[in-house]
Amino acid sequence: MSHTTPGSPAHLGHDPHGGEEVHLKRALGMSGLTLFGLAYLVPLTVFTTYGFATDLTGGRVALAYIVTLAAMLFTALSYGQMVRAYPVSGSAYTYTSRSFGPHAGFLAGWALLLDYVLLPMVNYAVIGLFIQAQWPSIPVWVGFLGSLALVTVLNIVGITTIDKANSIIIAIQAVFVVVFVALAIKTMATGSFDPGLPFTGDGGANGVGLGPVLAGAAVLCLSFLGFDAVSTMAEEAREPRRDIPRAILLVTVGGGVLFVILAWLAQVARPSTTFENIDSGATEVMTHIGGSTMALFFTAAYVAGAFGSALTSQASVTRILFAMGRDGVLPRPLGTLSDAWRTPVIAIALVSVISLAGLWLDLGLLFSIVSFGALMAFSVVNLSVIKHYWVDHPELRNIVTHLLLPLIGFGMTVWLWTSLSSRALVVGLIWVGVGALWLALITGGFRRRPPQVEFEG
């Protein structure tokens, strides 16, 4: 595999049938990559699952976030190591393909598709839910379909437009966070409060023992998907080997600390662990600390954040579909770019159509399934570091960064993965089984290598 110098044109590879090179535009610097990841995370994503996670953990959401952050830090370091080796699109798919071969790479990419395909759907669903929570006369489907249509158009226009939109979205959420923190502290100051409650629980069935915390931590992995989404922009980054590992760590640490603080403040300011509607329970927190005005501000800021997450999550999954379609392991039309926009329009349209299923699926199940795909992909990326650096390139070995840290990351992700609900595990394993059957079909019963393009980064 050849490598160009950082900042040189992005070569996505040659069509094995003699076609021309396919290019994505290198447009993102360090700030753009970090904003991309933070917008994907959504600083307010803590409130997406707040009601569900509060019920699941017995009020110990902040503690669950600390457990998740610990696991994600080790995995973020592994992503940083792998993007230095392979600064190209495809994320876990690419890293696993290069480390363990194309068959394993396909299955890793297939698992990654599960969370990336469903995450835009989750965002459209919560946009509809929170709009309806604020204005009950507006059906959920109105917000769902409206946001889906706008996100699709912006993704077709191109990544530069997304980069500019992210700056505005992050600014809106930053203002809201400041106001929320101030009002939460004011609420706490007007009465007695228990600062340890977010760590000790409510004493109910889910408020005792480590099991509910691990179950909550496993679901909350979806809150951290922004850090690995940054790696999918490797072919659109100006300095991928330098900037993407740094952006990954900034997004992981910054997002994780913010999640812990916001979850702690929300639980302490409103100690109750019950909600009229757990799917939109955060609205009740806002009404409690700031009345209807705060609830309205929250809805506006949250919808903007969820929109930004939908925008970036759809961009990421279409790049993965693009990479797999270009390699021929998915239908080749997915691996083509529009002549007018230089974006993967067919892949964008496919994700939009699939997202319509979110109008009927249970939100709690969606949360868990997204986390299933994420944790499976995170696990194989940790293993890929060991295989690439420790086994395949012994001259690069470092016992800490290439063995101990990825082993810890692998152990923690597997631990969280097995803590998911049985429904999520069943659906996720069925998805992996379908992927294995498709792989067997396109490889003649695993006798042939899946089609694969040689990348240049």
Side-chain angles (χ1 to χ4, degrees), residues 93 96-97 100-110 324 327-330 431-452:
Y93 164 61
T96 311
S97 294
F100 293 101
H103 293 89
F106 175 87
L107 292 177
W110 188 263
M324 296 180 77
D327 286 6
V329 291
L330 288 180
W431 173 261
V432 173
V434 170
L437 289 174
W438 173 252
L439 180 60
L441 179 65
I442 64 175
T443 60
F446 304 106
R447 290 190 298 271
R448 298 189 301 270
R449 291 169 58 89
Q452 193 165 12

Side-chain angles (χ1 to χ4, degrees), residues 74-328:
F74 289 103
T75 301
L77 290 170
S78 290
Y79 269 91
Q81 291 294 329
M82 293 310 296
V83 81
R84 288 189 179 96
Y86 305 113
V88 292
S89 288
S91 191
Y93 164 61
T94 295
Y95 307 149
T96 311
S97 294
R98 296 300 185 261
S99 300
F100 293 101
H103 293 89
F106 175 87
L107 292 177
W110 188 263
L112 191 64
L113 279 178
L114 185 62
D115 58 55
Y116 279 163
V117 167
L118 294 185
L119 194 57
M121 186 189 305
V122 169
N123 282 295
Y124 302 138
V126 296
I127 286 172
L129 279 167
F130 279 98
I131 288 176
Q132 187 185 56
Q134 186 63 39
W135 297 285
S137 62
I138 301 178
V140 171
W141 64 265
V142 172
F144 188 108
L145 294 180
S147 56
L148 186 154
L150 185 55
V151 164
T152 300
V153 170
L154 288 175
N155 267 288
I156 289 173
V157 169
I159 194 67
T160 303
T161 301
I162 296 173
D163 187 26
K164 293 176 180 177
N166 285 344
S167 301
I168 299 172
I169 291 166
I170 293 294
I172 292 172
Q173 293 182 83
V175 172
F176 173 82
V177 167
V178 172
V179 174
F180 170 78
V181 170
L183 287 176
I185 292 174
K186 179 182 176 182
T187 301
M188 292 157 55
T190 58
S192 60
F193 64 91
D194 180 3
L197 183 62
F199 307 105
T200 59
D202 60 6
N206 291 339
V208 178
L210 190 59
V213 173
L214 291 177
V219 171
L220 295 177
C221 286
L222 70 86
S223 300
F224 287 85
L225 287 178
F227 83 78
D228 69 307
V230 173
S231 71
T232 69
M233 294 292 107
E235 294 181 33
E236 287 156 285
R238 289 193 291 268
E239 301 280 355
R241 289 189 178 88
R242 183 195 69 185
D243 289 345
I244 288 185
R246 295 177 182 177
I248 286 172
L249 279 178
L250 280 174
V251 170
T252 305
V253 175
V257 170
L258 182 63
F259 296 156
V260 172
I261 292 172
L262 294 180
W264 182 86
L265 285 171
Q267 183 64 45
V268 172
R270 183 189 180 277
S272 176
T273 58
T274 59
F275 305 93
E276 290 183 15
N277 182 349
I278 63 171
D279 288 338
S280 57
T283 301
E284 297 178 38
V285 175
M286 304 309 158
T287 303
H288 177 78
I289 69 171
S292 58
T293 301
M294 183 59 177
L296 178 60
F297 184 22
F298 165 71
T299 300
Y302 182 82
V303 167
F307 181 84
S309 180
L311 195 65
T312 50
S313 60
Q314 190 181 64
S316 290
V317 69
T318 54
R319 268 64 182 177
I320 293 170
L321 290 171
F322 171 81
M324 296 180 77
R326 180 185 56 193
D327 286 6

Side-chain angles (χ1 to χ4, degrees), residues 57-77:
T57 63
R60 294 176 290 172
V61 182
L63 180 58
Y65 266 118
I66 291 173
V67 174
T68 308
L69 175 58
M72 294 304 100
L73 275 174
F74 289 103
T75 301
L77 290 170

